[in-house]
Amino acid sequence: KDGDGDMQFLMNGGDLLKVRSGSWKKTRYYKLQEDCKTMWHESKKTLKSKQTFSVEDIDEVRTGRQTEGLRKYTEESVEGRAFSILFKGRQKGLDLIASSEEEAKKWVGGLEKVISNINNLSPQKKTDWIYSCLRKADKNFDNKISQKEMKKMPLFPLFQKCDESKCGFLEGKEIEHFYEILTQREEIDVIYGEYAKTDGLMSAADLLNFLLNEQKEDVSQNDALQLIEKYELDENAKQQMTKDGFLMYLNQPEGLIFNQAHKSVYQDMNQPLNHYFISSSHNTYLLEDQLKGPSSTEAYIKALLKGCRCVELDCWDGSDGEPVIYHGYSLTSKVLFKDVIKAIQEYAFKTSKYPVILSLENHCSVEQQKVMAQHLISILGSALVTKPLGDQMPTCLPSPEELKGRFIVKGKRLDKLEDMFSESKTAEKESVTEEEDDEGDEEDQEKKSNKTKSLKLAKELSDIVIYCNSVYFHGFEDSRDKQSFYEMASFKEGKAVKLAEESANDYIRHNIDKLSRIYPAGRRTDSSNYNPVPLWNAGCQIVALNFQTPCPEMDLNQGLFLQNGRSGYNLKPSYLRDRDTKFDPITLPDGPWLKHKTLHVMVISAQQLPKVTERKSSIVDPIVKVQIYGVPADTTTVETQYIENNGFNPMWNENFQFDVRVPDLALVRFLIEDYDSSSNNEFIGQYTLPFNSLKNGYHHVPLLTKNGDRISSAGLFVHIIVVDAE
């Protein structure tokens, strides 16, 4: 009930103080529009500057002074009246102050209610896409839709078809006809017709027949009945499924392509940490490029909420004795180390309960290193791992399960971990050799390698580096002889790719008892990414990507970590965990990894594809690409024909076949683009998932934006068959 009252409050609207800086604080009038999807605001000064934003673009509503802007530019006394609206992607957030705590609660409660209403709309009820198109078209609110109003909309060709009276507008029955065409799905009609054998409807037995024959599901008639009860809206259908109910089921999680059994944690989480692929971020503090963009605590929050489990902190001496984080020797802005640790502490375990690794790149003086250690200990408290878990010197890394809810510091140690358990301690050192330099070109690295400099290390900081002691990689033989399980090397992208191509089996064996971290080349100043797949194939666990950059490489990362409860930890296949493994992703010798499958994909249709840009008046010409990423022998791309001027319900009915030799390491990516003969195609949407998480049969594929947010109402419809190859 309260939620409804709060929504009414939003629809009446009210004044909020918008905060941009210490001096820029202005009152703005905000109001939720009638469609319950759009927020409208105007300036007090002039009624001309009216602006709107969609509630669907909101990522989070945050109560209190919980953004950098509010902390910096407002007093503690406004804590209860302050809140922030954060948006998806790179859109700048809004920092707002209400006139009372009561009103702030109403704004936050109302917005959360509207967001939850939109998220909980089933695709079947999402005719709001159609209504919003019609509403946008009926500019003068006369309940007629005119040709002039419709011309700019993606549905104009359908408008012309329905304007039977040729009078230039639709009304009454014509609008109903228009709506019927919009909601019709011929391909679903055909499938439904094949299986609805009970007076034109689908009985539980008919639905079971469909689930067994087409979807290849291991289910009973009782399961079919439960689906009917869950998704059939027509109460007169009496334990039968109408066509609408069938479409509803196909749009629900059970009808989507991703196997729901993989949605929660389903893998063994009791293996040592190095037996998992770990979702990892590079220079996590950056929101944009590597040279002059902003550093922000928000970048950590976004990465952690996306399931990232290894974040990077570049630490430098700051003023007033407080260490700061930024990209050294660049113009990127600075953010306080302690503010970053507070943000990490608050958001670390919202998406996943499994451990977070704090990868420290330490450029601080001994004094400020002591401050870093104090902040880590005081802010993270008992969640910080400050000694090995058992009473004795461990022989391998602990498991994600044992480390649930804990933070691990990756950095340098002055002594060996063994010294914590030995009576005769080695003489205390004050510095370590600094051979590993994350930045700069590889040529620089060559020049430096002869003149290793020493880094003075604070004992307080050294003592909390337990399981991830950074060391330099001198070759596989050296590592076998000298590197302990708790010592880990970082590899620049170029070096790692070379090892993965030329010495894959050695790399795999190295990664069986040790962690490896890979990071992007220094030349990637635009924060672009490299392909992580060949490095996962070589058993590398911490393949760090620029999380802030929307790109196919991030799609692959999010696709791999979509499974196992989005925990950010995926158990490596057994042949990447076996000391005597002969596996090599390049040469593919015989072995248990060869589980040769044939994948048949029929790309049937797509629904309600968004226009690529507002600027482009033409409707999209969609083309679908199906891509397999995995071992080189499995990696391939196919594409459909493009369909001219139809983003609403394009139909392809095109069949493709793939040979997949190592399904455990394969990812499948569905990509829809707007075809352009004269330049590069433009991105419309994509979805990536592990090959082993594919479901057989007819399924909708949800579509995500470049930023990884779901495009409401849009989808791709496919038929999948996975069989053992002959």
Side-chain angles (χ1 to χ4, degrees), residues 505-536:
N505 184 260
D506 285 331
Y507 214 173
I508 287 164
R509 289 180 182 219
H510 171 85
N511 289 322
I512 282 162
D513 5 69
K514 299 167 189 81
L515 284 167
S516 288
R517 174 176 169 272
I518 321 300
Y519 59 93
R523 64 184 157 76
R524 295 186 182 275
T525 52
D526 58 351
S527 297
S528 61
N529 279 311
Y530 54 98
N531 180 2
V533 174
L535 299 154
W536 291 327

Side-chain angles (χ1 to χ4, degrees), residues 184-340:
Q184 192 182 0
R185 291 279 303 273
E186 281 174 37
E187 70 280 35
I188 304 288
D189 295 355
V190 170
I191 302 163
Y192 184 78
E194 270 181 42
Y195 285 92
K197 301 296 184 196
T198 313
D199 302 330
L201 291 173
M202 217 181 233
S203 65
D206 295 338
L207 179 57
L208 178 64
N209 205 4
F210 168 78
L211 294 171
L212 295 173
N213 292 340
E214 295 293 349
Q215 312 299 76
K216 311 289 184 213
E217 288 192 27
D218 183 14
V219 287
S220 65
Q221 190 151 327
N222 194 36
D223 295 314
L225 260 175
Q226 282 183 333
L227 284 176
I228 292 172
E229 279 168 25
K230 199 168 172 186
Y231 296 123
E232 181 49 61
L233 299 175
D234 185 347
E235 286 168 13
N236 302 322
K238 305 238 171 27
Q239 297 199 325
Q240 290 176 317
M241 198 175 240
T242 61
K243 201 189 310 172
D244 282 349
F246 184 63
L247 178 57
M248 174 76 112
Y249 147 70
L250 283 174
N251 270 313
Q252 295 302 318
E254 291 96 330
L256 298 183
I257 192 165
F258 180 72
N259 183 350
Q260 290 301 292
H262 291 182
K263 198 176 177 182
S264 51
V265 174
Y266 70 99
Q267 297 174 348
D268 176 5
M269 300 303 272
N270 292 298
Q271 302 281 330
L273 221 48
N274 51 294
H275 284 180
Y276 298 83
F277 297 124
I278 303 171
S279 182
S280 305
S281 147
H282 168 249
N283 287 0
T284 316
Y285 47 89
L286 294 177
L287 280 170
E288 293 172 18
D289 64 67
Q290 307 276 318
L291 295 178
K292 58 187 186 319
S295 304
S296 171
T297 55
E298 289 304 325
Y300 286 91
I301 292 170
K302 281 176 189 273
L304 291 165
L305 292 177
K306 282 183 174 175
C308 178
R309 298 290 86 191
C310 177
V311 295
E312 187 176 8
L313 302 93
D314 280 14
C315 310
W316 298 79
D317 278 1
S319 52
D320 304 326
E322 280 295 342
V324 291
I325 288 177
Y326 82 113
H327 199 196
Y329 310 116
S330 77
L331 298 175
T332 59
S333 65
K334 297 172 182 175
V335 57
L336 287 176
F337 178 81
K338 66 177 176 187
D339 286 350
V340 166

